[in-house]
Amino acid sequence: MKRTLVLLSALFLFPLAAPAQSTTPAEKSASRTIRPEDLQAHIGFLASDLLEGRGPGTRGDALAQQYIAAQFQLLGLKPAGPNGSYLQPFELVGMTGHPETLTFTAPQGRLALRFHEDFIASSGVQAEESVLQDSELVFVGYGIQAPEYEWDDFKGMDVKGKTLLILNNDPEDDPKLFGGKARLWYGRWDYKYEQAAKVGAAGAIILHTTPSAGYPWQVVQTSWTGEQFELPAAGAQPRLQLKAWTTDEATRRVVQLSGRDLDILRAMAQKRDFRPVPLGVTVSTRFANQVRRRPTANVLGLLPGSDPKLSKEVVLYTAHHDHLGLKEDAKPGEDAIYNGAVDNASGVAAMLEVARAFSALPKAPPRSILFAAVAAEEQGLLGSQYLSEHLPVHPGRVAANINIDGLNIHGRTRDITVIGLGKSSLDKTLTTLAAGQGRLVRGDQLPDRGFFYRSDQFNFAKLGIPSAYFSSGMDFIGRPPGWGKERREKWEAEHYHQPSDEPSPDWDYSGAVEDVRLFFLLGSHVARARELPRWNKGDEFEVPRLQALEALKSEGAREGPPW
């Protein structure tokens, strides 16, 4: 009888045979430990002036790491970094330097663009000097090579040593191409710079507009000035001398110098038969770089699973702990600290409270839970890239990644927004769990922004790990239609990547609490379900997942994790 009661108790707490979407009483009780005052306390410290904006490699960065590690220890999580530490240290290469001008020369004349007003640029090489000398300027449309769409903007042209002028986003007129209005990775700036380097270009200039980028020029000005970071360059990896953005108005002047019309070039780039257009213009610049190596770290805490077999697999939670640091050109008396309260002290606070909820369960779930506060997200998802390359377990053993990047500060919503809805089996679980809160699941309501490729889950998705990335929707309870969209656009225009992203007594945490509880319940369900989540058939990340699972059959991959 005693044995029967023990077995029934275990099934009651984590019934592996139960439908994945059901919620146990133990989970409901644990979710109630997530409270607004705890979120507020974490955010208050992480976004305080004391941490000076948590710039990578700074004192504030180190303080944030130690705070998170201390919280992990208080919650009873095991260190999951090397040498029994909560920290997974790695180096960043910081580069400070920019050209004062970009000079364009053509038979018709000469044009010099002004830094900050007309263009923003940084070095693409980890060297003391960056040089473009009479590099031929070539318009390459969107700069995309996508065989699955039978799309190639280069058409075999040799662009070695040339500078590429590239449109932001991806073609969106045809709904059958590149997701239509939805932005894919092909539309992201990181893809465009990476692709330009692969084809041997010396420089790449992306044409900025607010609609094509999803944010105004001021975000480029703040995000791409000051010290820029990369992981240390590996071997003979191709590099650009210059990575730049130009405004629409400045680009028009450059194209006019060539005797062409920018709108006509844009129209040509929408078609599959587009070919690169040499503009008869050369680009020159030269500037010095200050190059230094700076230490940072991801912070890793582990809740070991309770099942001898399934504990070898993990549910991975991520939230980035960094922000932009200090404003270098601040005037006397001006606020010079990029506090990063919403982005992303709030996400780290959410992850810590999810960890608290897991620690409140009477028994750990069958699968292990790995919490990772990752570094240098604002510099190009560098911390999650490093973690993806140095996971403590094989990628095939990571059941799912749940990424948290910013919380809702405006109140409760009737809906949630799932970035990447339709990509994986996680959607079904999320839909049922959200219904338990009386909420509807909606797809990305700003699909042109390409949010799935702009946060840390992207690095794990590239390994094939099914990923969930969601937030509150825009249908706010007690507010008129359109209020949520208006508030979001206002916040992005006034506070995103600005010193004004600070904690405020006016914030309403009620919606954030519901979201954080949902983050917890989703991970708990994945941690006890019999089947692993999977990408939907034909998804862009399905193949790497299948390859990762197949690799588990090899001798080395069969070894368990280090716990």
Side-chain angles (χ1 to χ4, degrees):
M1 182 67 179
K2 182 177 180 181
R3 181 183 178 190
T4 301
L5 289 174
V6 170
L7 288 171
L8 287 173
S9 176
L11 289 171
F12 180 74
L13 293 175
F14 287 101
L16 286 175
Q21 292 78 23
S22 63
T23 300
T24 70
E27 289 169 336
K28 290 179 181 178
S29 177
S31 72
R32 288 193 286 271
T33 66
I34 297 168
R35 304 176 304 172
E37 55 266 35
D38 297 320
L39 292 171
Q40 186 177 23
H42 292 310
I43 295 169
F45 178 78
L46 290 168
S48 68
D49 285 355
L50 175 69
L51 273 66
E52 298 177 333
R54 307 186 306 280
T58 64
R59 182 186 71 133
D61 184 30
L63 285 171
Q65 295 164 29
Q66 291 300 325
Y67 177 82
I68 296 163
Q71 295 298 316
F72 283 170
Q73 186 174 15
L74 282 171
L75 293 171
L77 301 183
K78 290 189 174 182
N83 303 315
S85 171
Y86 288 101
L87 303 185
Q88 183 188 48
F90 62 98
E91 276 194 325
L92 295 171
V93 176
M95 294 177 290
T96 306
H98 59 78
E100 292 299 323
T101 60
L102 273 181
T103 302
F104 298 84
T105 305
Q108 297 91 326
R110 192 167 176 268
L111 172 66
L113 297 185
R114 299 164 299 166
F115 181 78
H116 203 263
E117 290 83 4
D118 298 325
F119 77 96
I120 296 292
S122 62
S123 174
V125 292
Q126 297 173 6
E128 294 182 355
E129 187 178 55
S130 295
V131 179
L132 284 181
Q133 186 62 46
D134 297 326
S135 174
E136 182 183 355
L137 185 65
V138 180
F139 176 69
V140 293
Y142 291 95
I144 294 172
Q145 288 183 311
E148 69 273 29
Y149 292 109
E150 298 180 357
W151 191 280
D152 181 3
D153 280 326
F154 294 92
K155 301 295 191 300
M157 173 180 278
D158 183 1
V159 294
K160 289 183 176 63
K162 300 177 182 180
T163 295
L164 310 184
L165 178 61
I166 309 170
L167 296 178
N168 206 0
N169 209 336
D170 48 45
E172 57 181 33
D173 291 346
D174 186 345
K176 296 179 182 178
L177 286 173
F178 304 106
K181 299 293 183 182
R183 186 191 309 245
L184 301 184
W185 186 42
Y186 293 120
R188 293 276 299 136
W189 58 263
D190 47 352
Y191 168 83
K192 296 178 187 297
Y193 288 139
E194 182 178 311
Q195 187 62 26
K198 281 182 179 178
V199 296
I205 301 171
I206 297 176
L207 194 170
H208 174 273
T209 64
T210 297
S212 69
Y215 40 77
W217 180 245
Q218 69 182 34
V219 173
V220 179
Q221 291 172 317
T222 56
S223 301
W224 286 78
T225 52
E227 191 169 18
Q228 301 294 301
F229 294 93
E230 298 179 341
L231 295 180
Q237 179 184 5
R239 311 283 297 184
L240 298 169
Q241 287 288 323
L242 181 82
K243 297 187 291 187
W245 295 79
T246 50
T247 66
D248 184 76
E249 188 275 333
T251 308
R252 288 185 182 277
R253 286 188 278 140
V254 172
V255 173
Q256 287 171 358
L257 185 65
S258 75
R260 292 182 175 270
D261 182 277
L262 180 58
D263 292 328
I264 293 175
L265 291 178
R266 274 198 178 109
M268 293 167 57
Q270 308 306 314
K271 299 178 181 178
R272 202 182 247 116
D273 61 359
F274 168 82
R275 290 184 174 277
V277 180
L279 295 176
V281 175
T282 61
V283 191
S284 298
T285 192
R286 180 186 297 267
F287 60 99
N289 297 311
Q290 179 185 352
V291 182
R292 59 175 174 169
R293 297 200 171 220
R294 306 186 72 170
T296 190
N298 299 323
V299 191
L300 309 181
L302 178 79
L303 177 67
S306 57
D307 183 88
K309 182 178 179 180
L310 291 179
S311 63
K312 296 178 181 179
E313 299 172 350
V314 301
V315 177
L316 171 64
Y317 281 91
T318 51
H320 74 89
H321 63 67
D322 65 292
H323 200 55
L324 301 177
L326 297 173
K327 187 176 184 180
E328 293 187 348
D329 59 349
K331 300 173 184 177
E334 181 183 2
D335 186 358
I337 300 174
Y338 293 101
N339 299 82
V342 171
D343 184 16
N344 186 38
S346 71
V348 174
M351 187 175 68
L352 291 173
E353 289 310 296
V354 168
R356 182 195 299 275
F358 273 106
S359 69
L361 290 169
K363 181 181 179 181
R367 289 187 176 89
S368 299
I369 313 294
L370 179 61
F371 298 95
V374 296
E377 187 268 358
E378 302 290 4
Q379 300 293 332
L381 317 183
L382 299 182
S384 58
Q385 179 185 337
Y386 186 86
L387 178 58
S388 73
E389 295 169 355
H390 300 85
L391 281 169
V393 296
H394 188 276
R397 294 191 188 278
V398 183
N401 170 227
I402 300 172
N403 186 47
I404 312 174
D405 195 352
L407 289 183
N408 163 29
I409 56 174
H410 302 303
R412 296 177 61 210
T413 63
R414 299 180 182 87
D415 56 349
I416 71 167
T417 298
V418 177
I419 308 300
L421 184 67
K423 295 181 73 62
S424 80
S425 62
L426 292 167
D427 295 342
K428 183 178 179 182
T429 304
L430 256 178
T431 299
T432 303
L433 292 173
Q437 295 182 329
R439 304 165 80 191
L440 296 174
V441 166
R442 303 184 190 277
D444 189 353
Q445 296 175 60
L446 298 168
D448 60 312
R449 307 290 178 88
F451 285 127
F452 191 85
Y453 311 91
R454 285 172 56 177
S455 195
D456 289 305
Q457 75 286 332
F458 179 44
N459 278 322
F460 304 105
K462 287 192 287 187
L463 294 179
I465 297 168
S467 302
Y469 179 37
F470 65 90
S471 61
S472 294
M474 295 191 188
D475 185 6
F476 281 81
I477 295 172
R479 301 293 185 178
W483 185 87
K485 186 173 186 293
E486 176 187 323
R487 293 294 294 182
R488 175 160 190 161
E489 290 176 347
K490 178 179 174 62
W491 190 88
E492 286 188 353
E494 297 179 1
H495 306 299
Y496 177 58
H497 283 195
Q498 300 302 314
S500 57
D501 180 11
E502 298 180 293
S504 169
D506 298 331
W507 286 3
D508 182 343
Y509 286 89
S510 58
V513 167
E514 285 193 321
D515 288 350
V516 179
R517 289 174 176 173
L518 199 55
F519 283 120
F520 162 67
L521 292 174
L522 176 62
S524 188
H525 280 70
V526 173
R528 63 176 171 82
R530 284 193 180 276
E531 294 185 1
L532 289 170
R534 64 187 183 280
W535 296 104
N536 292 338
K537 189 172 180 58
D539 187 83
E540 60 191 310
F541 302 116
E542 181 190 24
V543 170
R545 182 57 167 180
L546 296 176
Q547 291 172 339
L549 295 175
E550 182 66 24
L552 280 175
K553 298 176 182 178
S554 68
E555 283 298 323
R558 276 205 293 266
E559 295 178 5
W563 55 77

